[in-house]
């Protein structure tokens, strides 16, 4: 039986580290090397990879993360099992923003795990495939779930991925924009394959997430570690 079209969600937390008076390059070495709020790092030995059967194509969540974090695209990327975790720190004005990204599996059998990941998240990227109308319908179900069960002020961003295939598009950009406006979400069409609008997507999120409280950021650059918020399961990228 074919699984429901994968559709879901990259959960984004962010660590903000202030170094006023220094340029981004000078600040780079001061980046904390461990995550805050999601300090569950998966030992490599627990990583496992599964080759996709070719039937369940995916909307491109993992590909978006791989493009953002590693500037890499893999045509033969494997379906996500459970969730995978990656981080990336980017300069943003006078600050460094560290993204802690949970990439959750789109397959229906992993649906029940999703709350563990979005509960502690500052933002969610909900991905659909512009060539698959079904994936846009499924996206709306995820928005509903996030509104009902997600954090109160979670920033939502909608990514219409595979815009390099716009000649076979099924979802007009206008529909996505109207829907995003109705729920107050960011919307952008992306191509992980051709590196279109991936940086812009995460920059947009970064601008919308409110500053952390000073006590969350620690004093004098000290870092407060949070409790683990999600189980550890990961696949190769
Ligand atoms: N043409 C095109 N193909 C893409 C793009 N992004 C991803 N793909 C392809 O779409 C397929 C699925 O990509 P994934 O990144 O694994 O999708 P996913 O949503 O993470 O899938 P699950 O892990 O099963 O939830 C792969 O064959 C990718 O190569 C894109 O921007 N353009």
């Amino acid at each position: 039986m074919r699984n429901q079209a994968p559709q879901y969600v990259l959960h984004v937390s962010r660590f903000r580290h202030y170094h006023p008076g220094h340029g981004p390059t000078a600040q780079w070495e001061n980046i904390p090397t461990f995550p805050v709020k999601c300090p569950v790092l998966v030992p490599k030995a627990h990583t496992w990879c599964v080759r996709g059967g070719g039937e369940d194509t995916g909307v491109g969540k993992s590909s978006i993360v791989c493009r953002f974090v590693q500037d890499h695209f893999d045509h033969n990327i494997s379906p996500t099992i459970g969730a995978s975790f990656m981080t990336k720190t980017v300069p943003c004005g006078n600050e460094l923003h560290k993204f802690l990204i949970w990439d959750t599996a789109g397959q229906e059998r992993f649906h029940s795990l999703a709350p563990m990941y979005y509960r502690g998240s500052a933002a969610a990227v909900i991905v659909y495939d512009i060539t698959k109308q079904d994936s846009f319908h499924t996206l709306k179900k995820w928005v509903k779930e996030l509104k009902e069960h997600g954090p109160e002020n979670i920033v939502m961003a909608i990514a219409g991925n595979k815009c390099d295939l716009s000649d076979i598009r099924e979802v007009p950009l206008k529909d996505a924009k109207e829907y995003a406006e109705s729920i107050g979400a960011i919307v952008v069409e992306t191509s992980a394959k051709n590196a279109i609008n991936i940086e812009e997507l995460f920059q947009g999120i970064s601008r919308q997430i409110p500053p952390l409280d000073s006590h969350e950021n620690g004093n004098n650059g000290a870092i407060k570690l949070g409790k683990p918020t999600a189980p550890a399961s990961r696949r190769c990228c």
Side-chain angles (χ1 to χ4, degrees):
M1 191 182 79
R2 194 187 188 291
N3 286 316
Q4 184 181 3
Q7 67 293 65
Y8 189 44
V9 175
L10 318 170
H11 305 288
V12 180
S13 301
R14 191 190 63 187
F15 176 68
R16 181 181 277 222
H17 200 57
Y18 289 91
H19 290 284
H22 298 278
T25 315
Q27 294 167 346
W28 200 257
E29 61 191 21
N30 294 320
I31 298 165
T33 54
F34 47 91
V36 178
K37 287 190 177 174
C38 301
V40 183
L41 286 173
V42 184
K44 219 170 178 171
H46 291 174
T47 301
W48 53 302
C49 306
V50 177
R51 182 69 38 204
E55 188 183 52
D56 193 3
T57 54
V59 293
K61 302 177 300 297
S62 305
S63 299
I64 288 174
V65 179
C66 280
R67 176 60 77 186
F68 177 58
V69 173
Q70 301 171 338
D71 197 17
H72 172 74
F73 179 77
D74 179 0
H75 283 276
N76 299 312
I77 194 165
S78 307
T80 308
I81 303 300
S84 68
F85 178 70
M86 286 198 215
T87 71
K88 180 168 177 175
T89 303
V90 291
C92 185
N94 216 18
E95 303 168 354
L96 294 175
H97 292 177
K98 182 166 186 174
F99 288 94
L100 313 173
I101 304 170
W102 285 104
D103 171 18
T104 54
Q107 293 173 39
E108 184 58 25
R109 65 195 165 114
F110 295 116
H111 187 141
S112 61
L113 300 178
M116 287 187 284
Y117 299 97
Y118 65 62
R119 227 175 261 146
S121 296
V125 182
I126 313 158
V127 184
Y128 70 96
D129 176 345
I130 68 154
T131 72
K132 291 204 173 89
Q133 187 71 51
D134 277 2
S135 70
F136 190 60
H137 289 140
T138 312
L139 169 143
K140 293 179 181 175
K141 290 187 194 156
W142 280 107
V143 169
K144 189 165 177 284
E145 172 161 344
L146 281 168
K147 280 190 175 292
E148 284 172 6
H149 304 293
E152 202 180 338
N153 296 320
I154 193 165
V155 171
M156 283 195 264
I158 293 175
N161 194 40
K162 306 194 186 180
C163 71
D164 55 287
L165 300 176
S166 61
D167 50 331
I168 53 168
R169 94 160 48 233
E170 288 184 2
V171 184
L173 177 57
K174 183 171 150 289
D175 290 5
K177 280 186 169 166
E178 278 173 10
Y179 179 66
E181 198 177 332
S182 75
I183 60 164
I186 298 165
V187 63
V188 65
E189 284 196 346
T190 56
S191 169
K193 182 179 176 187
N194 291 353
I196 298 170
N197 282 340
I198 304 295
E199 292 286 334
E200 289 78 358
L201 171 67
F202 286 91
Q203 279 168 13
I205 291 167
S206 205
R207 282 194 294 271
Q208 292 241 340
I209 297 177
L212 293 175
D213 294 339
S214 54
H215 74 270
E216 275 187 272
N217 208 13
N219 293 324
N220 302 321
I223 295 148
K224 181 183 172 190
L225 283 174
K227 289 181 187 157
T229 57
S233 169
R234 189 180 170 169
R235 62 97 187 253
C236 292
C237 174

